[in-house]
Amino acid sequence: MTDDIALSALSGLEPERAARVRSLIRDVPDYPAEGILFRDITPLLADAAGLADVLDGFATAVADLGEIDMVAGMEARGFLFGAPLATKLGVGFLPLRKAGKLPPPVERVDYDLEYGSASIELRAGTLQPGSRVLLVDDVLATGGTAAAAADLVRRSGGVVAGLAFLLELVALHGRERLGGHEVTTLLQVGPAQE
């Protein structure tokens, strides 16, 4: 069976390093339900060299976005990549939290998911007007959470410089919901984008 994760999108790494990152993503068949192939990034997070390679890949991939003032991570796995990436880029980090996790006052965006609705919040006043923000998360699937996060940054006075993801599930077309934004993914699952 051939691998359905494209390594070519792992920008800035030599082929051996990119292949090693891929080898640290565990494929778990039939989880959380039959017929689903879950991509477990826990082994990647536990490997210092692999995690450093991913952060290098992110930093290289977003270099063309111009000046970035802040990195914002979407709860919860966006925190795992967003905070160390912000440190690497020499900028601050904004946690975009699920509803009810931050004390008031907060900015909030409600959005629909395929199975219900959710909300995402940012502490009011933490984002300076006009700040260029890079949004980071682990997976781009349908794009609902990412679109809501971009909306939250805009409503809070920021400018979305771009969005960056470790994995993109190409078949779910999440990129289409993020029209008008620069989207960077390090690894693509499924057929490559044309």
Side-chain angles (χ1 to χ4, degrees):
M1 180 173 154
T2 60
D3 193 357
D4 66 343
I5 294 184
L7 298 178
S8 60
L10 191 52
S11 303
L13 294 182
E14 297 85 23
E16 310 82 48
R17 288 171 69 195
R20 185 165 185 287
V21 166
R22 169 58 185 110
S23 75
L24 293 167
I25 298 171
R26 187 172 69 114
D27 296 337
V28 183
D30 298 322
Y31 181 81
E34 187 156 341
I36 294 176
L37 181 59
F38 183 80
R39 308 306 173 130
D40 180 14
I41 64 170
T42 305
L44 172 62
L45 295 171
D47 186 274
L51 183 56
D53 283 343
V54 165
L55 293 172
D56 286 348
F58 272 128
T60 300
V62 302
D64 293 339
L65 296 178
E67 184 178 343
I68 294 171
D69 300 309
M70 299 289 279
V71 172
M74 293 168 254
E75 188 167 350
R77 290 174 297 210
F79 298 176
L80 300 173
F81 297 112
L85 180 59
T87 300
K88 188 172 191 64
L89 297 176
V91 300
F93 176 74
L94 293 172
L96 303 182
R97 302 293 312 266
K98 295 176 183 174
K101 300 287 185 178
L102 293 171
V106 296
E107 299 289 337
R108 176 182 173 138
V109 170
D110 300 315
Y111 60 103
D112 291 324
L113 299 167
E114 53 276 9
Y115 51 84
S117 62
S119 301
I120 193 166
E121 296 178 339
L122 170 64
R123 175 77 169 84
T126 55
L127 183 59
Q128 296 297 315
S131 295
R132 291 180 44 81
V133 179
L134 172 67
L135 292 162
V136 177
D137 207 357
D138 64 331
V139 176
L140 173 58
T142 63
T145 302
D151 189 27
L152 181 59
V153 166
R154 281 191 305 274
R155 288 184 189 191
S156 299
V159 174
V160 178
L163 296 99
F165 303 90
L166 174 65
L167 287 166
E168 177 181 4
L169 307 179
V170 176
L172 297 180
H173 307 288
R175 188 180 286 260
E176 293 171 11
R177 281 183 89 170
L178 305 175
H181 293 296
E182 187 69 33
V183 177
T184 301
T185 58
L186 299 186
L187 301 164
Q188 292 181 320
V189 179
Q193 294 284 91
E194 296 189 20

